[in-house]
Structures are given as C-alpha cells and as structure tokens.
Amino acid sequence: MENSLGFWHGKRVLLTGHTGFKGGWLALWLKRLGAELTGVALPPESSPNLFTLANISEGMGSYFCDIRNRDEIKRIIRKAKPEIVFHLAAQPLVRESYTNPVETFDVNIMGTAHVLDGLRDCKDAKVAIIITTDKVYHNNEWSWPYREEDKLGGYDPYSASKAASELVVASYRDAFLREQGVRVATARAGNVIGGGDWSEDRLLPDAVRAWQAGDVLEVRRPDSVRPWQHVLEPLSGYLNLAEKLWLNSAMPGAYNFGPETSEAASVKDVIELAKYAYGRGEVRYCDTVKGVHEAGWLALEISKSRTELGMSPKWPLKEALQRTMHWYRAQNEGQNPVLLCEHDILAFEAAP
C-alpha cells in the first residue's frame, strides 16, 4: 500500500456514482489514499443509505447531477479538471430494467457517452475506468467462465445496455481519447456484496431487511450460480488498473474482476452461509421459476487481471459473507458505519 498511497496522494479524481453502494466504498478508499476527489451522482435512493450514514460527501467535492444532463456533466468536468475518472453511475438492476427499459438504456448508454464526451475537453485527463458488469457477455449458459474476448450481448435491457456501453467506450477510445493521451479501460465485475448496500431486489440487502424485521426471506431461483465477491475485491482492481494505465500506454482494454471459478456459488449456498454468519433468519426457497428471465449460470475468467495486473482474489466467499453480515449486524446495533468500512479496508489492505 505504500506505493498506492504515494501514487494517489494529490491526484485529482472524478468519481461518478459516489452516492451508490460501490461508489461510496470507493470514495472512502480514495479519500483515505489522499486523492482530491470530486463526486457526481443522483441523490441516494434508498433509506438508509451508505452515502448519508458514512458522511461520504465530507472531505470531497460532491454534486447531485443526472449523467444524462450533458451540459452539466461537461461543466463539472471542466471545473474538477480530473486526472483520473471512475465512471460508476448507472441504472444497476436487472429487474428494474424490465420495468423501465428506455430509462435504463438512456442512463447506461448515453450517460456513459456524456462522461466520455466531457473528457474530450479535459486536457488534464490521463486515465478513465468505465465500470460495466459481468453481464455484458452473451450468456450461453455454458459451464466455463467468460473471457474478455468473448461475444458481448444481453437478454435483459440492463445487460444489453451495459454491452452497448462497452461499444461506446471503444468508439470514444479509438476515435478521440487515445490520440488525446487518455488511457481508457472497462472493468467487468458483478454480484458484489458488502455492508452498506440497501438496494431493492438484491439478495443480501433483501435478506438483511427480512431478518431484521423478523420476516421470512423468499428466494427465487435458488440454483442460479454467480461470481460473488466482496466489494473491496473489484474496487482494489479498479485502483490497480488505474495505476497501471497511468504508467503504461499499452494497458487499455477490458478487464474481468471476480473470484476464482471454483468460488462461484449458487444463491442457496450464499443464503445458507449468510444466515449462519448473521446468526438467525428464516428462508423459503421457491420451487418454481417466477418472474422475468435471468441467467442461470455465470462466472468470469480472471487470468488477464492476474497476469497483466498481478491481481488475485484475497477473501474467499465464506470470509466475504462473514464480513458482510457482521457489518450489517454491527451497524444495526449502533456502531459507526465509517469505522466499520475503515476496519474492512484496513483488513483488506493487510491481507496477503
């Protein structure tokens, strides 16, 4: 971490989506590393939310702005003069995308275009990391993990919008930003867990809400398999990737961040481990498939990140779930969310 502390100290960083779950954790980490941070996002939607509880806006520039507002995004970028950009702002939910498909496409495709277009007028920009998802791949329901060069696609509007945003990123990189000296990469990760996520229609937040209220958690598709990982795993990948891009012009491209393939687990396995870690909770598994289409099996091949970035997962699923459920339990008992996040960040930095 000594190299990282030296690298990030004083760097001007723009982070979109800092009011969200992943963005909040990344904001806390970047401030700890000494970055001069500016955040752009919509106001937080859930109550409670990490942004408010952990005072994310303290010690940084914070703007409430819709990334679909092209002129305002350009104005903020001109004012912030970022050297490094992390674009996390998005409509991030699969089932929500079925309800509001046009809005999902607008936010995830045109919002990304607006951020990238704003960088065309930013002479200080050197690196941009655009966060997409593990769901950008055309899902064949096959039994091996997806590689960065595999075909993009998307059955649901969320997945399709993120796959399309990958093409937008590639176009801006090739047509404008590479010649300008901005090194652009996309980061593909998903099924992130950790304390402080209260989003609707996500497995562990739904579980915590049900168990804290003494209700039974109803779980759809218990046999679906996903590449679960603690939130600090991909965030450490984004930070590492930004450092490597800063130093090496040959690094732009797409990168997967996820657990080892052997760590991919079913929804049922995750809930059983979470219930044990939380110490209580009732669950009812649905026998029949209900609702909209969702992929049954998904895993990511992470050999590129391991080889080119020197990245390997630190926390296995069991530890990730233990830390996640401890965070929620401790926060519910009145412990300080900032200190809980800092405790996990320090433990992650110290992990081999």
Side-chain angles (χ1 to χ4, degrees):
M1 287 303 302
E2 290 182 2
N3 290 337
S4 291
L5 284 168
F7 174 84
W8 289 101
H9 186 77
K11 288 286 192 304
R12 295 190 303 278
V13 179
L14 177 71
L15 168 61
T16 73
H18 68 302
T19 62
F21 164 54
K22 286 173 69 178
W25 276 89
L26 184 54
L28 287 171
W29 206 346
L30 283 166
K31 288 190 290 183
R32 168 177 159 72
L33 293 171
E36 295 181 9
L37 185 60
T38 299
V40 181
L42 292 175
E45 294 184 353
S46 68
S47 181
N49 61 80
L50 185 64
F51 178 77
T52 301
L53 291 177
N55 299 315
I56 298 297
S57 62
E58 184 178 352
M60 62 178 288
S62 179
Y63 296 89
F64 290 156
C65 174
D66 193 322
I67 58 171
R68 291 173 292 181
N69 187 334
R70 178 185 176 189
D71 292 339
E72 186 65 9
I73 289 297
K74 281 197 169 188
R75 186 190 70 80
I76 293 170
I77 290 175
R78 282 196 298 268
K79 183 177 181 180
K81 298 179 180 179
E83 299 167 286
I84 298 173
V85 174
F86 293 100
H87 176 47
L88 277 69
Q91 192 299 96
L93 302 174
V94 171
R95 290 168 70 87
E96 172 66 18
S97 76
Y98 280 100
T99 303
N100 294 300
V102 173
E103 180 179 349
T104 299
F105 285 119
D106 196 12
V107 172
N108 293 350
I109 299 174
M110 292 311 301
T112 297
H114 292 163
V115 172
L116 292 168
D117 202 62
L119 296 183
R120 294 176 62 192
D121 298 326
C122 183
K123 297 180 180 179
D124 298 275
K126 300 292 186 296
V127 170
I129 310 293
I130 312 301
I131 311 307
T132 59
T133 177
D134 57 353
K135 298 171 183 64
V136 296
Y137 297 105
H138 177 75
N139 196 307
N140 295 293
E141 300 287 355
W142 56 29
S143 57
W144 55 85
Y146 291 91
R147 305 161 298 175
E148 286 85 350
E149 61 268 26
D150 284 331
K151 181 181 178 181
L152 300 180
Y155 183 104
D156 58 88
Y158 168 74
S159 300
S161 72
K162 285 296 194 174
S165 73
E166 290 269 356
L167 299 179
V168 171
V169 173
S171 175
Y172 266 89
R173 178 173 53 223
D174 295 341
F176 307 110
L177 297 178
R178 178 183 287 117
E179 184 177 354
Q180 188 178 317
V182 184
R183 299 164 184 179
V184 184
T186 59
R188 302 168 180 174
N191 293 94
V192 173
I193 62 175
D197 186 4
W198 281 280
S199 300
E200 293 291 336
D201 206 29
R202 280 186 179 158
L203 184 62
L204 293 187
D206 286 349
V208 169
R209 276 189 288 266
W211 296 342
Q212 286 181 351
D215 297 333
V216 177
L217 173 68
E218 293 196 1
V219 176
R220 65 180 188 272
R221 294 182 171 86
D223 296 325
S224 293
V225 174
R226 296 288 186 272
W228 313 91
Q229 58 184 325
H230 192 276
V231 62
L232 294 178
E233 299 280 6
L235 296 187
S236 69
Y238 306 162
L239 294 169
N240 191 307
L241 177 57
E243 291 185 43
K244 294 293 194 301
L245 283 168
W246 185 278
L247 298 171
N248 188 344
S249 63
M251 297 295 289
Y255 292 82
N256 287 339
F257 296 101
E260 302 290 353
T261 304
S262 61
E263 284 283 300
S266 70
V267 168
K268 184 175 183 179
D269 288 340
V270 168
I271 282 298
E272 291 300 319
L273 286 169
K275 183 173 69 171
Y276 179 80
Y278 195 70
R280 67 179 188 273
E282 295 186 53
V283 186
R284 181 184 300 118
Y285 296 105
C286 297
D287 296 327
T288 58
V289 175
K290 298 180 180 179
V292 297
H293 173 273
E294 295 177 86
W297 199 95
L298 178 60
L300 296 179
E301 174 57 60
I302 58 172
S303 58
K304 181 180 179 181
S305 293
R306 179 182 291 109
T307 301
E308 298 192 18
L309 304 177
M311 300 292 300
S312 293
K314 287 190 174 188
W315 288 344
L317 178 60
K318 184 176 181 180
E319 181 169 1
L321 283 165
Q322 288 174 338
R323 289 185 176 277
T324 298
M325 304 316 285
H326 168 76
W327 195 105
Y328 282 113
R329 193 171 58 245
Q331 185 274 330
N332 189 54
E333 293 170 355
Q335 293 191 35
N336 187 326
V338 177
L339 297 181
L340 291 172
C341 290
E342 290 179 350
H343 179 269
D344 279 346
I345 289 171
L346 285 169
F348 189 87
E349 290 176 347

